[in-house]
Amino acid sequence: MHEPVGPPPAPSPALEKVHSHIHAHFPEHLERCRAFLRQPSVSSTGQGITETAALVRGFIQGLGGEVQLRGAASHPIIHGRIDAGRPQTLIIYGMYDVQPVEEHKWSHPPFGAELWRHSRHGPCVVSRGAVNSKGALCGLFNALGSIIEADRLPLNLIFTIEGEEEIGSPNFEPFIRAHRHELQGVGVMDFDFSEDPKGDVALHLGLKGIVYLELKCRGGELGGPSESQHSSASAWISSPTWRLVHAMSTLVDRTEAITVHGLLDNVAPVSPLDRELLQRLVPVFNEKVFLREIKAPCFKHRFSGVELLEKGLFSPIINIDGVQAGYAGKGTKTVLPRVATAKLDVRFGPNMEPDEVIAKIQDHLQQGGFHDIEVTVRESYTWSKTSYDEALVQHLIRAYQQHGRTPEVWPMATWTAPYFVFSRILRLPVVAGGLGYGNRPHGPNEYMTVKGLHDFEQFVATFLYQVAGE
């Protein structure tokens, strides 16, 4: 395993000048981010998407870059380039879309970008997209503006910024494949806030793939009513809801271990390098704190240490996201529903592919006599992996060290993003990270800290100069 040699170098005079510029102009940077957050950009409904795409396009053009809008006109992919006349080029991935809001659950206007003082973290900006991920996206452009004004860009930059990440990135892979000859560089960076509440940072080298399925059982030839009936009819008529429950119960056993025939055949063994990274994580992974943060009393496995980490990061899972059938309101209503629906997500790591997962689940249901269960694929993309020994990974570690942080290096993450288009189609290393803290992504009162935005912008500059060798 390659290790960075010696202490990180002191910032160059040029980088110090950029950091000073960011600090001096930060009040206006903060207001620019707040204005950007006030523009809604909800991909699932389309609210404000094209307006936000226009703002992102303007950010790049304001830095002297060229921009093309790709993908769907309703949800444009921002494909930009800034040619700084440098020998190296870095590709930057980002997203400008956000999740919907349930306004009644917010104590601040969801798109108001109001300032609020957190009892522990100080001044914060409360807004949908503050931490996931429009706050960081605007901070990136703030930092690039300071570099250009105080010095010059140390790298050529290519931007691939989408507005459909929250709905599964349906047009991103076709865009990457269509323009792969234009997407050449030393690697890909996804700048994002990566600090936890204590200020520690983590670096993830891989992401699981995901398949999101909808299973539906209707009344029909195999039984069940074609219209919902009084529940007393269940003495004679079979229930689509029970049939769906029985079908799902064959996917896992009582410990939630996967029982779908052949689904685990291609699970990749954990490499010696990844196992070493897991061993390094054991002393810093506080199991009690983790459980407390996710509000769970215990793990479902009796493992600890490396085994627990390996199970969580590398084992495939089948999760039930929701089940809907019949009456679920207040009081009572006796009913035999005519249809039952469940939403499931399957997450998996290296050597498995979405088509394989889908086919094996469909075959499993067919072989089990559940051929009447309708299976609809709502979302899918595959896994991504970058080696610890990649130069881009070492540059990211060095950038953190220059800011006094040593990142926890995780061989895989439990969340997903479309990084596979870079690591497996373009064959480029892809990393994500940055200083800065925020919380409540996808939830009410999402926020980012003001200090975190400031530190993030300085980190962006540090990383770019580190990659360029300056």
Side-chain angles (χ1 to χ4, degrees), residues 29 53 93 101 128 146 217 243 274 318 322 436 470:
H29 288 190
Y93 169 75
V101 298
R128 172 60 85 227
S146 284
C217 184
R243 185 160 179 80
D274 283 347
I318 298 178
E470 297 187 12

Side-chain angles (χ1 to χ4, degrees), residues 68-87:
Q68 299 290 329
L69 299 185
R70 310 290 191 185
S74 61
H75 293 72
I77 296 168
I78 314 300
H79 182 196
R81 181 182 180 92
I82 301 177
D83 188 347
R86 297 295 201 172

Side-chain angles (χ1 to χ4, degrees), residues 38-263:
R38 291 188 188 107
Q39 171 59 58
S41 53
V42 183
S43 49
S44 62
T45 65
Q47 180 190 10
I49 285 290
T50 55
E51 293 87 346
T52 308
L55 291 176
V56 176
R57 180 180 188 173
F59 289 160
I60 298 173
Q61 290 174 331
L63 298 171
E66 299 178 353
V67 183
Q68 299 290 329
L69 299 185
R70 310 290 191 185
S74 61
H75 293 72
I77 296 168
I78 314 300
H79 182 196
R81 181 182 180 92
I82 301 177
D83 188 347
R86 297 295 201 172
Q88 297 184 90
T89 299
L90 178 71
I91 299 172
I92 294 177
Y93 169 75
M95 53 181 279
Y96 63 86
D97 63 315
V98 301
Q99 286 277 352
V101 298
E102 296 175 277
E103 193 160 354
H104 66 281
K105 295 183 178 181
W106 289 65
S107 57
H108 301 263
F111 295 104
E114 291 186 349
L115 291 173
W116 162 71
R117 177 170 287 277
H118 191 285
S119 60
R120 179 179 174 187
H121 301 295
C124 299
V125 178
V126 182
S127 180
R128 172 60 85 227
V131 67
N132 185 27
S133 299
K134 288 168 67 178
L137 181 61
C138 191
L140 162 67
F141 291 116
N142 286 339
L144 295 179
S146 284
I147 294 172
I148 290 172
E149 291 180 25
D151 185 36
R152 61 178 292 205
L153 286 175
L155 299 161
N156 307 317
L157 300 175
I158 295 175
F159 299 91
T160 58
I161 301 174
E162 64 165 324
E164 296 179 295
E165 198 278 341
E166 298 289 11
I167 55 173
S169 305
N171 290 291
F172 200 61
E173 181 180 352
F175 156 71
I176 293 293
R177 291 189 181 278
H179 299 277
R180 60 189 305 171
H181 63 285
E182 305 168 42
L183 301 173
Q184 304 293 325
V186 297
V188 182
M189 178 64 174
D190 179 8
F191 286 106
D192 207 354
F193 303 138
S194 297
E195 292 186 52
D196 68 12
K198 298 179 296 181
D200 295 330
V201 292
L203 191 168
H204 296 90
L205 300 177
L207 302 179
K208 286 183 175 180
I210 185 171
V211 169
Y212 196 100
L213 302 174
E214 183 176 281
L215 271 55
K216 183 173 290 187
C217 184
R218 306 176 191 268
E221 293 182 3
L222 293 183
S226 59
E227 294 183 4
S228 296
Q229 301 293 331
H230 191 284
S231 67
S232 62
S234 65
W236 293 282
I237 308 299
S238 62
S239 165
T241 308
W242 274 119
R243 185 160 179 80
L244 180 63
V245 169
H246 290 315
M248 290 193 295
S249 72
T250 70
L251 303 179
V252 299
D253 65 17
R254 294 185 67 180
T255 70
E256 297 181 31
I258 293 174
T259 53
V260 176
H261 179 70
L263 189 61

Side-chain angles (χ1 to χ4, degrees), residues 257-320:
I258 293 174
T259 53
V260 176
H261 179 70
L263 189 61
L264 304 181
D265 289 353
N266 293 329
V267 175
V270 179
S271 71
L273 190 149
D274 283 347
R275 189 172 295 278
E276 183 177 340
L277 291 174
L278 292 177
Q279 290 170 343
R280 294 184 182 190
L281 288 172
V282 171
V284 299
F285 181 66
N286 189 314
E287 297 175 11
K288 291 182 179 179
V289 171
F290 177 82
L291 288 170
R292 186 164 63 246
E293 287 179 351
I294 63 172
K295 296 179 172 55
C298 62
F299 294 102
K300 66 180 180 181
H301 304 292
R302 295 181 178 272
F303 300 135
S304 62
V306 170
E307 284 185 296
L308 180 66
L309 291 170
E310 182 178 328
K311 193 75 174 175
L313 299 181
F314 289 94
S315 295
I317 63 154
I318 298 178
N319 175 65
I320 299 175

